[in-house]
Amino acid sequence: MTGPPAPAAGPAEPDDPTVVAVERDASGRHLARELSPGAFLAPRPLLPCADRLRIALVGTRAGLLAGDDLRLHVSVGPGARLELVEPSGLVAYDHRGGTSAWRARVDIAAGGRLDWDGKPFVVAHGARVDRTMEVTLAPGARMLWRDTLVLGRSGERGGSVRARTRAVYDGRELLVEDLDLTDPDLRELPGILGPNRIIGSVTALGARPPGPPHPYRTDLAGPGAQVRLLDTEAPAMEAELTALHEHWRTENENENENENENE
């Protein structure tokens, strides 16, 4: 059940973050403590589920353009469950010599769970984007994140992007990655991306998903795992990532049901 969010603020300023904060009260109800639109995204509640909140991140303006700074703050309270849905992807357009930023901060309390099914992030020719994901998980917290980076629209070589990800679990670093794709000549070398321009991944943080084994699976330095795929075209890779994401999510839900039965 969704409780009333905080009163809507006025029009978002260019540097205002989108804020999504959910919690679970003593009766077990899921409440939206804060749903604040930012300069680029507005959180919109979807049809309620008995065991979680489903929030859509709806784009409110074109972007990213030069000078844009998209910021997103997500908070999941103790024992709460949040599913983030992106109805559409994001395109970073030609920045004409400028730069832009996409920054997300995620905090998940003990026993909280977040499932973020991200849509493609397209870096068009001429764009120069700095993208940062910071995740902090308390003991027993979990996050499942699907992410796809696309270098260029159809027929384009693609712009420049540097994607940094840092996840901390129970005070210890679980995943630290600096994916530097700013130089097309270097990233297209054999052994890096080669001819591939699509980078897709499914990442589990806070729990190590069970098998079956995947040839491109990497277990993290703690409770978590990641599968990353490279391709020149999206459909086949997206289908594989969709199946993997659904399998890992189903395993999480089954485990959650078992935990509830044992309480």
Side-chain angles (χ1 to χ4, degrees):
M1 181 180 295
T2 305
E13 297 296 325
D15 59 349
D16 283 349
T18 300
V19 180
V20 177
V22 304
E23 59 188 26
R24 195 176 182 186
D25 67 12
S27 69
R29 294 185 308 164
H30 282 79
L31 307 174
R33 179 163 51 83
E34 183 176 359
L35 298 177
S36 298
F40 300 91
L41 298 171
R44 296 287 186 258
L46 298 175
L47 290 175
C49 294
D51 64 343
R52 78 194 72 178
L53 282 184
R54 301 181 70 241
I55 305 293
L57 298 175
V58 180
T60 57
R61 57 182 284 190
L64 297 170
L65 304 175
D68 285 348
D69 184 7
L70 188 158
R71 292 188 293 153
L72 177 62
H73 299 167
V74 179
S75 175
V76 181
R81 296 188 66 186
L82 170 63
E83 181 179 345
L84 284 182
V85 178
E86 295 183 23
S88 61
L90 178 68
V91 179
Y93 296 94
D94 189 343
H95 290 0
R96 303 183 185 278
T99 61
S100 69
W102 182 100
R103 295 181 285 170
R105 190 184 74 212
V106 177
D107 295 284
I108 309 177
R113 301 193 181 188
L114 170 61
D115 180 11
W116 188 343
D117 188 6
K119 291 296 185 288
F121 189 120
V122 182
V123 185
H125 179 76
R128 188 171 185 87
V129 185
D130 188 83
R131 198 184 77 151
T132 304
M133 170 71 85
E134 292 275 351
V135 182
T136 302
L137 303 102
R142 296 184 183 184
M143 176 174 173
L144 183 61
W145 180 36
R146 175 178 169 180
D147 175 50
T148 304
L149 275 174
V150 182
L151 298 172
R153 293 171 292 185
S154 179
E156 293 183 341
R157 192 180 188 189
S160 166
V161 59
R162 187 164 186 175
R164 300 176 178 90
T165 302
R166 182 174 183 264
V168 175
Y169 180 84
D170 192 17
R172 300 182 64 182
E173 290 181 335
L174 180 62
L175 172 64
V176 179
E177 180 180 72
D178 186 345
L179 189 60
D180 189 341
L181 303 175
T182 54
D183 187 331
D185 290 331
L186 290 178
R187 73 189 186 207
E188 292 171 5
L189 290 173
I192 303 180
L193 295 185
N196 300 296
R197 65 183 190 90
I198 303 172
I199 306 103
S201 60
V202 177
T203 306
L205 302 171
R208 190 162 289 172
H214 192 285
Y216 297 107
R217 169 172 168 153
T218 300
D219 286 340
L220 305 181
Q226 182 182 77
V227 169
R228 171 162 291 157
L229 304 178
L230 304 177
D231 211 329
T232 57
E233 301 293 339
M237 187 186 73
E238 286 293 288
E240 185 172 352
L241 290 177
T242 297
L244 179 66
H245 177 267
E246 187 60 30
H247 175 67
W248 283 5
R249 179 166 62 178
T250 300
E251 292 293 337
N252 273 339
E253 291 176 351
N254 291 340
E255 186 170 331
N256 185 65
E257 292 177 358
N258 293 335
E259 289 174 355
N260 290 337
E261 291 175 357
N262 293 330
E263 288 179 355

Short mmCIF file of all heavy atoms in Angstrom, two decimals, residues 197-239:
data_model
loop_
_atom_site.label_atom_id
_atom_site.label_comp_id
_atom_site.label_asym_id
_atom_site.label_seq_id
_atom_site.Cartn_x
_atom_site.Cartn_y
_atom_site.Cartn_z
N ARG A 197 29.60 -2.01 -29.46
CA ARG A 197 29.23 -0.68 -28.99
C ARG A 197 28.13 -0.74 -27.94
O ARG A 197 27.65 0.31 -27.50
CB ARG A 197 28.80 0.21 -30.15
CG ARG A 197 27.54 -0.22 -30.86
CD ARG A 197 27.21 0.66 -32.05
NE ARG A 197 25.89 0.39 -32.59
CZ ARG A 197 24.78 1.01 -32.19
NH1 ARG A 197 24.85 1.93 -31.27
NH2 ARG A 197 23.61 0.69 -32.71
N ILE A 198 27.72 -1.94 -27.53
CA ILE A 198 26.68 -2.09 -26.52
C ILE A 198 27.24 -2.90 -25.36
O ILE A 198 27.77 -3.99 -25.55
CB ILE A 198 25.44 -2.79 -27.10
CG1 ILE A 198 24.92 -2.00 -28.31
CG2 ILE A 198 24.35 -2.91 -26.04
CD1 ILE A 198 23.83 -2.70 -29.06
N ILE A 199 27.13 -2.34 -24.15
CA ILE A 199 27.64 -2.97 -22.94
C ILE A 199 26.46 -3.16 -22.00
O ILE A 199 25.89 -2.17 -21.50
CB ILE A 199 28.73 -2.12 -22.26
CG1 ILE A 199 29.85 -1.79 -23.25
CG2 ILE A 199 29.29 -2.83 -21.03
CD1 ILE A 199 29.78 -0.37 -23.76
N GLY A 200 26.07 -4.40 -21.76
CA GLY A 200 24.93 -4.67 -20.90
C GLY A 200 25.33 -5.51 -19.71
O GLY A 200 26.22 -6.36 -19.80
N SER A 201 24.68 -5.29 -18.58
CA SER A 201 25.04 -6.05 -17.38
C SER A 201 23.83 -6.21 -16.46
O SER A 201 22.90 -5.40 -16.47
CB SER A 201 26.18 -5.37 -16.61
OG SER A 201 25.81 -4.08 -16.20
N VAL A 202 23.89 -7.28 -15.69
CA VAL A 202 22.98 -7.49 -14.57
C VAL A 202 23.86 -7.70 -13.34
O VAL A 202 24.74 -8.57 -13.34
CB VAL A 202 22.04 -8.69 -14.79
CG1 VAL A 202 21.16 -8.91 -13.57
CG2 VAL A 202 21.19 -8.50 -16.03
N THR A 203 23.62 -6.89 -12.31
CA THR A 203 24.47 -6.92 -11.12
C THR A 203 23.62 -7.17 -9.88
O THR A 203 22.62 -6.48 -9.65
CB THR A 203 25.22 -5.59 -10.95
OG1 THR A 203 25.94 -5.29 -12.16
CG2 THR A 203 26.20 -5.65 -9.79
N ALA A 204 24.01 -8.17 -9.10
CA ALA A 204 23.36 -8.48 -7.83
C ALA A 204 24.30 -8.05 -6.70
O ALA A 204 25.46 -8.47 -6.66
CB ALA A 204 23.03 -9.96 -7.72
N LEU A 205 23.80 -7.22 -5.79
CA LEU A 205 24.58 -6.74 -4.65
C LEU A 205 23.89 -7.16 -3.36
O LEU A 205 22.67 -7.01 -3.22
CB LEU A 205 24.69 -5.21 -4.70
CG LEU A 205 25.32 -4.62 -5.97
CD1 LEU A 205 25.15 -3.10 -5.97
CD2 LEU A 205 26.78 -4.99 -6.07
N GLY A 206 24.65 -7.70 -2.44
CA GLY A 206 24.11 -8.10 -1.15
C GLY A 206 23.77 -9.57 -1.05
O GLY A 206 23.50 -10.08 0.04
N ALA A 207 23.78 -10.28 -2.18
CA ALA A 207 23.53 -11.72 -2.19
C ALA A 207 24.15 -12.30 -3.43
O ALA A 207 24.16 -11.66 -4.49
CB ALA A 207 22.03 -12.02 -2.14
N ARG A 208 24.68 -13.49 -3.33
CA ARG A 208 25.28 -14.16 -4.48
C ARG A 208 24.24 -15.08 -5.10
O ARG A 208 23.85 -16.08 -4.51
CB ARG A 208 26.52 -14.94 -4.04
CG ARG A 208 27.35 -15.48 -5.17
CD ARG A 208 28.75 -15.83 -4.69
NE ARG A 208 29.53 -14.63 -4.41
CZ ARG A 208 30.72 -14.65 -3.84
NH1 ARG A 208 31.26 -15.80 -3.45
NH2 ARG A 208 31.38 -13.53 -3.62
N PRO A 209 23.76 -14.77 -6.30
CA PRO A 209 22.68 -15.58 -6.90
C PRO A 209 23.14 -17.00 -7.17
O PRO A 209 24.31 -17.25 -7.49
CB PRO A 209 22.38 -14.85 -8.22
CG PRO A 209 23.00 -13.50 -8.09
CD PRO A 209 24.16 -13.66 -7.17
N PRO A 210 22.22 -17.96 -7.05
CA PRO A 210 22.56 -19.35 -7.37
C PRO A 210 22.69 -19.55 -8.87
O PRO A 210 22.42 -18.64 -9.66
CB PRO A 210 21.38 -20.13 -6.80
CG PRO A 210 20.24 -19.18 -6.86
CD PRO A 210 20.83 -17.82 -6.60
N GLY A 211 23.09 -20.76 -9.28
CA GLY A 211 23.26 -21.09 -10.69
C GLY A 211 21.94 -21.07 -11.42
O GLY A 211 20.94 -20.62 -10.89
N PRO A 212 21.92 -21.54 -12.66
CA PRO A 212 23.03 -22.22 -13.33
C PRO A 212 24.17 -21.26 -13.66
O PRO A 212 23.95 -20.07 -13.79
CB PRO A 212 22.37 -22.76 -14.62
CG PRO A 212 21.24 -21.81 -14.87
CD PRO A 212 20.73 -21.43 -13.52
N PRO A 213 25.39 -21.78 -13.80
CA PRO A 213 26.54 -20.92 -14.08
C PRO A 213 26.40 -20.22 -15.42
O PRO A 213 25.77 -20.74 -16.34
CB PRO A 213 27.73 -21.89 -14.07
CG PRO A 213 27.13 -23.22 -14.38
CD PRO A 213 25.76 -23.21 -13.76
N HIS A 214 26.98 -19.03 -15.50
CA HIS A 214 26.98 -18.27 -16.75
C HIS A 214 28.42 -18.04 -17.17
O HIS A 214 29.27 -17.72 -16.33
CB HIS A 214 26.26 -16.93 -16.56
CG HIS A 214 25.97 -16.21 -17.83
ND1 HIS A 214 26.94 -15.54 -18.56
CD2 HIS A 214 24.81 -16.06 -18.54
CE1 HIS A 214 26.39 -15.00 -19.64
NE2 HIS A 214 25.10 -15.30 -19.65
N PRO A 215 28.74 -18.19 -18.45
CA PRO A 215 30.15 -18.06 -18.87
C PRO A 215 30.75 -16.69 -18.62
O PRO A 215 31.98 -16.56 -18.54
CB PRO A 215 30.11 -18.39 -20.36
CG PRO A 215 28.69 -18.20 -20.78
CD PRO A 215 27.87 -18.54 -19.58
N TYR A 216 29.92 -15.67 -18.48
CA TYR A 216 30.44 -14.32 -18.26
C TYR A 216 30.10 -13.79 -16.87
O TYR A 216 30.08 -12.58 -16.66
CB TYR A 216 29.92 -13.37 -19.34
CG TYR A 216 30.37 -13.76 -20.72
CD1 TYR A 216 29.48 -14.33 -21.62
CD2 TYR A 216 31.69 -13.60 -21.12
CE1 TYR A 216 29.89 -14.72 -22.89
CE2 TYR A 216 32.12 -13.98 -22.38
CZ TYR A 216 31.22 -14.54 -23.26
OH TYR A 216 31.63 -14.92 -24.51
N ARG A 217 29.86 -14.69 -15.96
CA ARG A 217 29.56 -14.30 -14.58
C ARG A 217 30.86 -14.04 -13.81
O ARG A 217 31.83 -14.81 -13.91
CB ARG A 217 28.74 -15.38 -13.89
CG ARG A 217 28.61 -15.18 -12.38
CD ARG A 217 27.63 -16.16 -11.79
NE ARG A 217 27.69 -16.18 -10.33
CZ ARG A 217 26.69 -16.51 -9.54
NH1 ARG A 217 25.53 -16.86 -10.07
NH2 ARG A 217 26.83 -16.51 -8.24
N THR A 218 30.87 -12.97 -13.01
CA THR A 218 31.96 -12.67 -12.10
C THR A 218 31.40 -12.53 -10.70
O THR A 218 30.52 -11.69 -10.46
CB THR A 218 32.67 -11.36 -12.49
OG1 THR A 218 33.21 -11.48 -13.82
CG2 THR A 218 33.79 -11.04 -11.52
N ASP A 219 31.87 -13.36 -9.77
CA ASP A 219 31.47 -13.21 -8.37
C ASP A 219 32.28 -12.08 -7.75
O ASP A 219 33.50 -11.97 -7.97
CB ASP A 219 31.69 -14.51 -7.61
CG ASP A 219 30.66 -15.57 -7.96
OD1 ASP A 219 29.58 -15.19 -8.49
OD2 ASP A 219 30.92 -16.75 -7.75
N LEU A 220 31.61 -11.25 -6.97
CA LEU A 220 32.25 -10.08 -6.38
C LEU A 220 33.01 -10.45 -5.12
O LEU A 220 32.97 -11.59 -4.66
CB LEU A 220 31.18 -9.02 -6.08
CG LEU A 220 30.31 -8.60 -7.28
CD1 LEU A 220 29.32 -7.53 -6.86
CD2 LEU A 220 31.16 -8.12 -8.45
N ALA A 221 33.69 -9.46 -4.55
CA ALA A 221 34.51 -9.67 -3.36
C ALA A 221 33.64 -9.65 -2.11
O ALA A 221 33.92 -8.95 -1.14
CB ALA A 221 35.60 -8.61 -3.28
N GLY A 222 32.58 -10.41 -2.14
CA GLY A 222 31.60 -10.43 -1.06
C GLY A 222 30.29 -10.94 -1.64
O GLY A 222 30.27 -11.56 -2.70
N PRO A 223 29.18 -10.69 -0.96
CA PRO A 223 27.90 -11.21 -1.44
C PRO A 223 27.39 -10.45 -2.68
O PRO A 223 26.79 -9.39 -2.58
CB PRO A 223 26.95 -11.00 -0.25
CG PRO A 223 27.54 -9.85 0.49
CD PRO A 223 29.02 -9.97 0.32
N GLY A 224 27.66 -11.01 -3.84
CA GLY A 224 27.21 -10.37 -5.07
C GLY A 224 27.84 -11.00 -6.28
O GLY A 224 28.80 -11.77 -6.19
N ALA A 225 27.28 -10.69 -7.45
CA ALA A 225 27.79 -11.22 -8.71
C ALA A 225 27.34 -10.30 -9.84
O ALA A 225 26.39 -9.52 -9.70
CB ALA A 225 27.27 -12.64 -8.96
N GLN A 226 28.06 -10.41 -10.96
CA GLN A 226 27.73 -9.60 -12.14
C GLN A 226 27.93 -10.42 -13.39
O GLN A 226 28.89 -11.19 -13.51
CB GLN A 226 28.61 -8.35 -12.20
CG GLN A 226 28.30 -7.43 -13.37
CD GLN A 226 29.23 -6.22 -13.42
OE1 GLN A 226 30.38 -6.33 -13.85
NE2 GLN A 226 28.74 -5.08 -12.96
N VAL A 227 27.01 -10.26 -14.34
CA VAL A 227 27.17 -10.79 -15.69
C VAL A 227 27.19 -9.60 -16.64
O VAL A 227 26.28 -8.77 -16.62
CB VAL A 227 26.03 -11.75 -16.07
CG1 VAL A 227 26.09 -12.08 -17.56
CG2 VAL A 227 26.13 -13.03 -15.26
N ARG A 228 28.23 -9.52 -17.45
CA ARG A 228 28.35 -8.42 -18.43
C ARG A 228 28.51 -9.01 -19.82
O ARG A 228 29.30 -9.93 -20.03
CB ARG A 228 29.53 -7.52 -18.10
CG ARG A 228 29.84 -6.49 -19.18
CD ARG A 228 30.71 -5.37 -18.65
NE ARG A 228 29.96 -4.54 -17.73
CZ ARG A 228 30.53 -3.78 -16.80
NH1 ARG A 228 31.84 -3.78 -16.66
NH2 ARG A 228 29.79 -3.05 -15.99
N LEU A 229 27.78 -8.43 -20.77
CA LEU A 229 27.81 -8.88 -22.16
C LEU A 229 28.15 -7.71 -23.07
O LEU A 229 27.80 -6.56 -22.79
CB LEU A 229 26.45 -9.45 -22.57
CG LEU A 229 25.88 -10.59 -21.73
CD1 LEU A 229 24.51 -10.99 -22.26
CD2 LEU A 229 26.82 -11.79 -21.74
N LEU A 230 28.84 -8.02 -24.17
CA LEU A 230 29.16 -7.04 -25.21
C LEU A 230 28.55 -7.51 -26.52
O LEU A 230 28.51 -8.70 -26.81
CB LEU A 230 30.68 -6.89 -25.38
CG LEU A 230 31.50 -6.53 -24.14
CD1 LEU A 230 32.98 -6.50 -24.50
CD2 LEU A 230 31.07 -5.19 -23.57
N ASP A 231 28.10 -6.54 -27.34
CA ASP A 231 27.53 -6.92 -28.63
C ASP A 231 27.54 -5.71 -29.55
O ASP A 231 27.71 -4.57 -29.12
CB ASP A 231 26.11 -7.45 -28.45
CG ASP A 231 25.75 -8.51 -29.50
OD1 ASP A 231 26.28 -8.43 -30.62
OD2 ASP A 231 24.96 -9.42 -29.18
N THR A 232 27.33 -6.00 -30.82
CA THR A 232 27.22 -4.94 -31.82
C THR A 232 25.77 -4.53 -32.04
O THR A 232 25.50 -3.44 -32.55
CB THR A 232 27.83 -5.39 -33.16
OG1 THR A 232 27.18 -6.59 -33.59
CG2 THR A 232 29.32 -5.66 -33.01
N GLU A 233 24.84 -5.41 -31.72
CA GLU A 233 23.41 -5.15 -31.86
C GLU A 233 22.71 -5.49 -30.55
O GLU A 233 23.14 -6.36 -29.80
CB GLU A 233 22.81 -5.97 -33.01
CG GLU A 233 23.45 -5.69 -34.36
CD GLU A 233 23.18 -4.29 -34.89
OE1 GLU A 233 22.19 -3.68 -34.41
OE2 GLU A 233 23.93 -3.81 -35.75
N ALA A 234 21.58 -4.81 -30.30
CA ALA A 234 20.93 -4.94 -29.00
C ALA A 234 20.00 -6.13 -28.83
O ALA A 234 19.98 -6.71 -27.74
CB ALA A 234 20.16 -3.64 -28.70
N PRO A 235 19.18 -6.53 -29.81
CA PRO A 235 18.09 -7.47 -29.52
C PRO A 235 18.51 -8.77 -28.84
O PRO A 235 17.91 -9.16 -27.82
CB PRO A 235 17.47 -7.73 -30.90
CG PRO A 235 17.76 -6.48 -31.67
CD PRO A 235 19.11 -6.04 -31.20
N ALA A 236 19.50 -9.46 -29.37
CA ALA A 236 19.88 -10.75 -28.79
C ALA A 236 20.42 -10.58 -27.38
O ALA A 236 20.08 -11.36 -26.47
CB ALA A 236 20.91 -11.44 -29.68
N MET A 237 21.26 -9.57 -27.18
CA MET A 237 21.82 -9.34 -25.86
C MET A 237 20.75 -8.94 -24.86
O MET A 237 20.73 -9.41 -23.72
CB MET A 237 22.90 -8.26 -25.91
CG MET A 237 23.65 -8.08 -24.60
SD MET A 237 24.78 -6.69 -24.63
CE MET A 237 23.62 -5.34 -24.53
N GLU A 238 19.82 -8.09 -25.28
CA GLU A 238 18.75 -7.66 -24.38
C GLU A 238 17.89 -8.83 -23.96
O GLU A 238 17.44 -8.92 -22.81
CB GLU A 238 17.90 -6.58 -25.06
CG GLU A 238 18.57 -5.23 -25.14
CD GLU A 238 18.76 -4.60 -23.78
OE1 GLU A 238 17.77 -4.16 -23.17
OE2 GLU A 238 19.91 -4.58 -23.28
N ALA A 239 17.64 -9.75 -24.88
CA ALA A 239 16.84 -10.93 -24.54
C ALA A 239 17.54 -11.78 -23.49
O ALA A 239 16.91 -12.28 -22.54
CB ALA A 239 16.56 -11.74 -25.80
#
